[in-house]
Amino acid sequence: MNTQCAVLRDDKFLMTTRGAAVTHASGVLGFPGGKVEAGDEPEGVLESTVRREVFEETGISISEGIQYVRSTAFNLADGTPVVDVLFLGNYEAGELRIADAGEVEGIYWMTADEILAHERTPPWLVDQVSAVTRHLRRRHRL
């Protein structure tokens, strides 16, 4: 089980470039996130996982009201099945920092248009940005 979070600050998203030590999709842009671990809170495990991963990878804390956007399933190159859950959260506090350069090569604040135009944007990130954008439009209509 994997979680990711589209962290929003003003009109920009928190993005990472995955490091060389990451086995899946190194060198490409992505939302921060990672796998559920044994020490994650049992209640709200996906939410606690995504909060932990965002902080570990970027030094950023997200506000309480994170929202589910979508889930997808895929297989890694070695055949391992993965369920990926995407959340939307708002920046709360913190300064950008890379704790492990092997895991995260770079951290940026980017608009949706900048993400979509970037040379290191993989096809699945285009789909994720579209899903988050649709979610934000629905949220603003309510």
Side-chain angles (χ1 to χ4, degrees):
M1 180 73 67
N2 189 66
T3 63
Q4 295 183 65
C5 193
V7 179
L8 194 57
R9 182 180 189 181
D10 300 320
D11 65 342
K12 295 187 176 187
F13 293 100
L14 179 62
M15 301 303 300
T16 65
T17 302
R18 297 172 58 85
V22 177
T23 56
H24 173 67
S26 64
V28 301
L29 281 178
F31 292 121
K35 296 177 185 166
V36 174
E37 295 178 358
D40 290 327
E41 295 292 325
E43 178 139 352
V45 66
L46 299 178
E47 294 86 346
S48 68
T49 296
V50 82
R51 286 178 191 291
R52 175 184 51 75
E53 286 287 345
V54 168
F55 183 76
E56 285 177 2
E57 291 182 4
T58 68
I60 298 299
S61 297
I62 53 179
S63 60
E64 284 298 315
I66 64 173
Q67 299 170 19
Y68 169 84
V69 175
R70 74 173 197 176
S71 60
T72 55
F74 61 92
N75 290 323
L76 297 176
D78 67 1
T80 303
V82 176
V83 172
D84 186 69
V85 181
L86 177 61
F87 291 97
L88 173 65
N90 291 305
Y91 167 86
E92 183 173 74
E95 295 297 323
L96 298 180
R97 60 135 179 84
I98 296 173
D100 181 351
E103 185 175 354
V104 174
E105 180 182 296
I107 307 171
Y108 323 93
W109 289 106
M110 300 174 75
T111 66
D113 289 340
E114 290 170 334
I115 297 165
L116 296 175
H118 199 280
E119 63 184 7
R120 289 188 174 190
T121 298
W124 62 83
L125 182 57
V126 172
D127 293 341
Q128 289 176 328
V129 169
S130 295
V132 170
T133 303
R134 283 191 306 275
H135 182 87
L136 286 167
R137 276 193 229 115
R138 281 192 306 271
R139 185 171 83 175
H140 290 293
R141 277 188 266 159
L142 298 178

